[in-house]
Every structure is written in structure tokens, then in C-alpha cells.
Amino acid sequence: AGKAFRKFLPLFDRVLVERCSAETVTKGGIMIPEKAQGKVLQATVVAVGSGGRGKNGEIQPVSVKVGEKVLLPEYGGTKIVLEDKDYYLFRDGDILGKYVD
């Protein structure tokens, strides 16, 4: 995956994320059918842009860093396929929050 990110870097306030995989088995060991699985809203940040311009012309840095886990909106984002893996491109302002350890 490292080579793919050398070929693609987000611009401005864009954030490239990889969605976490859906739960396929419950804690009790019951298999969950694909149709019953909910949409995964948690993702890991894999690349960020340099930031967007504010009202005064200064660059505002992106609020997340590579490797952080974030909460995504249910809809939105642009799907990008790099080396047969699906990634999604979101604006920094569209990300709902980040998980803190």
C-alpha cells in the first residue's frame, strides 16, 4: 500500500481514509449475513492534504493525522481504488470526529 500513496496524495483539505471491515461474527460466535451488516462508519486515515486556505489567506492545517481512527458520515466521500483496495476521499470538514485512546 505504501507505493500507492506515492502515486496519489490528497490536495488542500482532503483526507484519504480506509474503511474498517464490517463485523461478520458476533461476540457469541453467530455469523452475520452480508445483508444484515450495517455500513461501517469507522475508518483509518492513510493520507492527508496540506490544508485549506482560511478567510485571511493563511493555510489552515487538516485536523487529523495519518493513522488516526475517525468517524465518517453515512453518505458522501469519493471512492478511489488503488492497487485493488478501496479508499475514500473526504473533506476535512466532513469528518464527524476522531477516536481518542
Side-chain angles (χ1 to χ4, degrees):
K3 291 180 184 178
F5 302 124
R6 290 185 198 140
K7 295 178 185 176
F8 180 84
L9 287 173
L11 297 176
F12 306 114
D13 64 340
R14 303 298 198 278
V15 178
L16 187 68
V17 298
E18 180 179 7
R19 287 187 191 255
C20 297
S21 58
E23 295 283 330
T24 58
V25 179
T26 65
K27 292 180 182 179
I30 299 171
M31 299 285 290
I32 301 172
E34 191 172 320
K35 287 187 177 184
Q37 294 173 6
K39 191 170 185 180
V40 179
L41 301 179
Q42 184 177 351
T44 303
V45 177
V46 293
V48 296
S50 59
R53 295 224 182 254
K55 291 181 181 178
N56 56 2
E58 293 180 10
I59 293 179
Q60 302 292 325
V62 179
S63 61
V64 294
K65 296 176 186 161
V66 174
E68 290 184 325
K69 298 245 186 247
V70 295
L71 181 66
L72 302 173
E74 189 171 354
Y75 300 102
T78 302
K79 182 178 178 180
I80 298 173
V81 178
L82 297 172
E83 295 183 356
D84 298 330
K85 282 185 97 176
D86 293 341
Y87 297 95
Y88 294 87
L89 192 63
F90 283 90
R91 287 185 181 270
D92 183 41
D94 292 342
I95 294 175
L96 301 176
K98 60 183 175 180
Y99 292 94
V100 181
D101 292 331

